[in-house]
Amino acid sequence: MKTIIFLSSFLFSICSLQAQQVQWANKLIKYSSDLGGKQNGIKRVLGKPDAFPQGGSSPNAWSPKNALDGYEWIEVSFEKPQTVKQVAVCENLNAGCVVKIGVDKGNGKYETVWTRKRDYKTPTFKATIPADRQYYFKRKRRKVQEAADVINPGIEHAILDNASSGVVAVRVEFNFALLPGKKEIDAIGISDSETPIQATINTNETFEKLPESKTIILTNVVPTNPALSPDGKTLFITNISDEKNEIISFTKEFNGNWGNKKVETMLNTGEFYNHVEYVGNDFLVKGGNNYDRSNGETGYEKFSINNGNYQLAGQIKVAAYNNYDETAEVTSTADRKVLIMGIETDFTQGGSDLYFALQKEDGTYGFLQNMGKIINSAADEGMCQLLSDTKTLLFCSNGFSSYGSYDIFISHRLDDTWKNWSEPINLGSKVNTFDFDGLPYYDEKNEVLFYISSVEGNNVLKTIALPKSTLIKNN
């Protein structure tokens, strides 16, 4: 894994700017080209930035047909007319290719208000994004996409010589031959101020006030997939190696340390992919079994728990189950009535998405249903945990504005359909870093979040004290 390096002059604040009126494009009018598809399509330029401030290649950004070395243009409109002094274009790869900007004041004609001057350079920062999708927690994915070094992401803050009033639309023209390499456009915004529009991370001030995270040292263990018993006394971890993936457990000692390391032989049914996803009072869900899509098998099994012993209680089956990836992620309600999975299918918004399925009378599950565009992006969502209120969901994504690679987010269910969720909130810089952070498991009894973080390319197990009141809403 590599580290993102920001120039000090281009550090992005997570504080909102109250003084200026900012709008992001909300509707397409015309455009020069579109690759089509769910990822990197033209509609990905709409809305607020989601590939910034981290920068780098993203499925949530528009990549035109001539993005390497050609001419492209786009016309977008905004929710309401406003005075414009600044147009901001988020170029998340090799910024500096905007050459001309025009504004429409409602008559359908574009008046040129900004052109690129000779020798003008867009302020940029160099970055290398640790987004190698081959492994994101040492479980090989179907989709192998090594991320090359990303150079010069930046926001073109085009300051107009004279403010234009009553602007309803903007036309932006690009000459991608100005710079080598791939180009992607994340978002287009307007402002009535010269103050540079900042790309912000949707986080909560409370999360920024959390204490520092701690690393749990587990000798001779390369950890992934933490899971805890409801009483917080038993920690399950998958120890990964080239030879096998093995579920082991630890018990909490009087001093708070984790000891009594034990290989859970009954749970290690294969050589690889063994991992505990959910632990209830009398059952747990374990992944890594061989499965057959023809009969709805998901590769997950249910084990009953009796005095610390585990007994296989059957396969978890989903009607017409299909998944393009080799692995999936699962969480469940305590009564097993609702199953949530992170998988990739023909019906995803782009990469892997979060789905839900309802339990049938025979104990199997009905068809998986997508949980919607608010919680799912064109990139990857998964590694989820549903808390005991059945409304609070922790999950991981590389498809929203973040601090680097995969970050941990929280969202809340808004109704009983399981399809309406609140806008995901980033758990903040005390949890998320410039590298991979994911696989969250929240210990509700002790109010501690366990998760895996990548440090210099190595998996480490971290914890952070996280009050339950900051996660679960009372209403």
Side-chain angles (χ1 to χ4, degrees):
M1 294 289 182
K2 301 176 182 178
T3 304
I4 299 178
I5 303 174
F6 291 91
L7 292 183
S8 60
S9 63
F10 229 75
L11 288 172
F12 289 98
S13 168
I14 61 172
C15 299
S16 61
L17 298 175
Q18 302 294 333
Q20 60 182 154
Q21 180 184 2
V22 176
Q23 290 191 77
W24 298 100
N26 73 333
K27 187 177 181 180
L28 290 166
I29 301 176
K30 293 180 181 179
Y31 48 90
S32 53
S33 73
D34 179 21
L35 291 175
K38 298 176 181 178
Q39 297 185 325
N40 297 118
I42 186 68
K43 290 186 177 180
R44 297 300 170 188
V45 80
L46 298 179
K48 65 183 182 180
D50 37 35
F52 272 88
Q54 68 271 32
S57 184
S58 170
N60 284 308
W62 171 45
S63 182
K65 290 182 178 179
N66 299 307
L68 288 177
D69 55 7
Y71 171 81
E72 297 280 355
W73 56 270
I74 185 173
E75 297 174 4
V76 292
S77 63
F78 300 85
E79 185 177 1
K80 56 186 178 181
Q82 79 165 66
T83 296
V84 173
K85 179 63 175 175
Q86 173 190 176
V87 178
V89 183
C90 297
E91 301 173 272
N92 44 308
L93 286 174
N94 298 303
C97 294
V98 178
V99 293
K100 187 177 180 180
I101 294 175
V103 296
D104 173 15
K105 297 184 178 182
N107 58 8
K109 299 179 180 180
Y110 288 92
E111 172 191 350
T112 299
V113 293
W114 185 91
T115 57
R116 190 172 208 85
K117 296 177 175 62
R118 181 175 295 183
D119 298 328
Y120 175 85
K121 292 185 178 181
T122 301
T124 60
F125 61 89
K126 294 183 179 181
T128 55
I129 302 299
D132 183 345
R133 294 177 62 185
Q134 182 175 2
Y135 289 88
Y136 62 77
F137 53 96
K138 302 290 187 178
R139 296 218 304 262
K140 188 175 176 65
R141 291 172 59 85
R142 176 192 66 84
K143 187 178 296 181
V144 177
Q145 177 183 328
E146 294 185 2
D149 286 356
V150 175
I151 302 175
N152 297 335
I155 300 179
E156 184 72 78
H157 296 105
I159 307 300
L160 281 54
D161 290 334
N162 300 299
S164 295
S165 59
V167 173
V168 298
V170 164
R171 176 186 170 98
V172 182
E173 300 180 26
F174 304 88
N175 179 3
F176 292 124
L178 292 178
L179 291 168
K182 291 178 59 180
K183 320 293 191 313
E184 293 176 2
I185 310 302
D186 181 24
I188 299 173
I190 56 176
S191 168
D192 60 352
S193 169
E194 292 187 9
T195 303
I197 297 176
Q198 303 290 356
T200 62
I201 296 173
N202 184 30
T203 188
N204 189 310
E205 183 181 356
T206 304
F207 295 143
E208 294 303 314
K209 296 179 180 179
L210 295 175
E212 297 297 326
S213 62
K214 299 179 180 179
T215 298
I216 296 180
I217 304 300
L218 301 174
T219 305
N220 297 324
V221 173
V222 180
T224 189
N225 283 91
L228 283 98
S229 58
D231 61 9
K233 295 181 179 179
T234 303
L235 169 66
F236 297 91
I237 284 287
T238 295
N239 183 28
I240 53 180
S241 69
D242 293 335
E243 290 76 30
K244 58 184 175 180
N245 298 160
E246 198 170 45
I247 298 171
I248 57 179
S249 67
F250 296 86
T251 54
K252 197 169 188 178
E253 299 174 337
F254 180 77
N255 59 7
N257 294 330
W258 294 96
N260 191 26
K261 177 181 176 182
K262 177 183 178 183
V263 177
E264 297 292 351
T265 306
M266 289 294 298
L267 300 178
N268 292 305
T269 55
E271 292 297 313
F272 296 98
Y273 303 149
N274 295 305
H275 58 286
V276 175
E277 287 275 37
Y278 179 86
V279 187
N281 289 315
D282 58 357
F283 78 101
L284 64 76
V285 175
K286 176 258 174 188
N289 192 53
N290 293 327
Y291 63 96
D292 183 356
R293 291 188 178 96
S294 64
N295 62 12
E297 293 178 357
T298 61
Y300 282 94
E301 299 171 303
K302 183 180 69 175
F303 283 78
S304 61
I305 304 174
N306 185 12
N307 293 325
N309 297 314
Y310 308 103
Q311 184 173 357
L312 181 62
Q315 286 258 359
I316 294 179
K317 296 183 177 182
V318 174
Y321 178 73
N322 187 35
N323 180 22
Y324 290 159
D325 287 348
E326 291 181 0
T327 61
E329 292 89 38
V330 163
T331 188
S332 169
T333 56
D335 61 6
R336 302 193 292 275
K337 297 296 183 182
V338 181
L339 185 75
I340 293 177
M341 298 193 75
I343 61 171
E344 183 176 355
T345 75
D346 286 333
F347 304 103
T348 60
Q349 305 298 326
S352 59
D353 276 7
L354 295 168
Y355 289 76
F356 76 95
L358 304 179
Q359 192 178 50
K360 300 191 293 186
E361 291 184 1
D362 63 359
T364 64
Y365 292 88
F367 296 107
L368 287 164
Q369 302 179 59
N370 195 284
M371 290 167 62
K373 293 182 179 180
I374 299 298
I375 200 170
N376 290 313
S377 73
D380 293 324
E381 283 73 43
M383 297 175 271
C384 47
Q385 183 198 8
L386 185 69
L387 301 191
S388 62
D389 66 340
T390 73
K391 294 182 179 181
T392 303
L393 185 71
L394 295 172
F395 70 99
C396 302
S397 174
N398 64 346
F400 302 100
S401 292
S402 67
Y403 294 92
S405 180
Y406 286 85
D407 276 8
I408 302 175
F409 294 81
I410 186 172
S411 180
H412 297 92
R413 182 163 57 89
L414 302 178
D415 59 28
D416 293 332
T417 67
W418 291 86
K419 295 182 179 180
N420 293 322
W421 293 82
S422 64
E423 181 181 1
I425 298 175
N426 192 295
L427 287 192
S429 61
K430 294 295 182 67
V431 173
N432 295 309
T433 66
F434 292 157
D435 218 317
F436 170 86
D437 301 282
L439 296 159
Y441 206 98
Y442 186 62
D443 176 2
E444 292 190 39
K445 182 177 178 61
N446 296 297
E447 302 188 28
V448 175
L449 177 69
F450 290 71
Y451 63 104
I452 298 296
S453 185
S454 180
V455 178
E456 297 181 351
N458 299 311
N459 283 15
V460 299
L461 176 63
K462 289 185 178 181
T463 65
I464 189 168
L466 186 55
K468 195 172 180 178
S469 60
T470 66
L471 299 179
I472 295 180
K473 293 183 177 180
N474 294 325
N475 53 355

